[in-house]
Amino acid sequence: MQGVGALSSPTCVSPSLPSISCNHLNPCNTFLGRRNSVPTPNQNQSPTKRHQSLSLSLRRQYTSFTAKAAAASSSSVGSESYAEEPATRVKFQTPLTLPGCSTSLSLVGTGYREKVFAIIGVKVYAAGLYINPSIFSKLDAWKGKSAADIQENRSLFNSIFQATLEKSLQIVLVRDVDGKTFWDALDDAISPRIKSLTPVDQSALSTFRSIFQGRPLKKGTSIFLTWLDSSKMLVSVSSDGLPSGTDATIESQNVTFALFDVFLGDASVSPSLKASVANGLATILK
């Protein structure tokens, strides 16, 4: 940082010109936002003393300036609202605005997906569930219920799914994953939840599969599954922040419900996500 070097040594005053005041000639004052903040050197002091006095004054002002700048920067960063998933340390933005949604969605809970290899649990991704806030008004029957009651109540999650308002699941990878491997794992969870595939279901699954085939998914990639209603879901993949559009539209109630059930059904692939969502709903519905 060039400004640091300029302010750490008294280059604005030359010992050979002790009579020159820094009040109007010191460019460091402009950088600090104080044009006349450095006092005129005491003419009764020796050039060395004047030199040291001015240097000390500049260092104090620079320290004050950088402290204020750091505070301002922290405040700016803090203006965005985030919630951290504790196991993976992934941060989820709240609220969130996504393509195809009529309004900002509220984060209700977060969790993670873990796969076990040779008895060792390996975290694959973090996940956060977002809901259109208008859905909460449709859940009056569960007001005052505990998180445990909510978690065990399948009908509550069915009500959220059936609501013709947006819900979105953000999946954030915490390690590199091959696209085909990711899809195969997802398909293995979806297929058993559909008793008999219709041509519409098969077409929807084929569209879904095509998003990931031959596509490497790097650590930090986000996959957004956004349910617009019970039979229509948008899929967006983004390797850098929020998506600007959608990669595919899935139109099959069997497929969209099966995917919702994968994460929020009785046998959730992420128990931590479902428990967190139950806690979030219990807090909202007090």
Side-chain angles (χ1 to χ4, degrees), residues 7 22 34 36 51 53 57 61 67 85 97 102 110 119 134 153 161 197 216 237 250 257 261 282:
L7 291 169
C22 247
R34 297 180 178 180
N36 296 309
H51 186 112
S53 177
S57 177
Q61 290 182 13
E85 196 289 306
T97 301
S102 60
T110 64
I119 74 170
S134 296
N153 198 322
F161 175 76
L197 289 174
V237 181
I250 308 300
F257 176 75
D261 191 69

Side-chain angles (χ1 to χ4, degrees), residues 9-146:
S9 61
T11 56
C12 302
V13 177
S14 172
S16 62
L17 298 171
S19 62
I20 297 178
S21 169
C22 247
N23 285 28
H24 302 293
L25 301 179
N26 188 353
C28 302
N29 291 338
T30 302
F31 178 72
L32 291 168
R34 297 180 178 180
R35 182 173 178 81
N36 296 309
S37 58
V38 179
T40 303
N42 186 340
Q43 299 303 314
N44 294 324
Q45 292 179 326
S46 67
T48 300
K49 288 290 187 181
R50 290 197 295 272
H51 186 112
Q52 293 173 341
S53 177
L54 183 57
S55 176
L56 178 60
S57 177
L58 286 171
R59 282 198 297 270
R60 285 173 175 169
Q61 290 182 13
Y62 178 69
T63 300
S64 174
F65 171 80
T66 52
K68 291 177 180 178
S73 175
S74 175
S75 174
S76 175
V77 171
S79 64
E80 293 287 355
S81 178
Y82 293 91
E84 183 179 272
E85 196 289 306
T88 59
R89 307 292 297 274
V90 171
K91 291 181 173 61
F92 290 88
Q93 185 176 324
T94 63
L96 187 66
T97 301
L98 293 171
C101 293
S102 60
T103 187
S104 294
L105 307 183
S106 298
L107 181 67
V108 181
T110 64
Y112 63 91
R113 173 74 164 114
E114 186 175 69
K115 293 286 286 183
V116 177
F117 299 97
I119 74 170
I120 298 175
V122 177
K123 293 176 179 62
V124 182
Y125 57 76
L129 180 69
Y130 293 84
I131 292 179
N132 185 320
S134 296
I135 290 179
F136 302 137
S137 64
K138 301 178 181 296
L139 305 176
D140 287 347
W142 291 276
K143 279 191 174 181
K145 298 289 186 181
S146 69

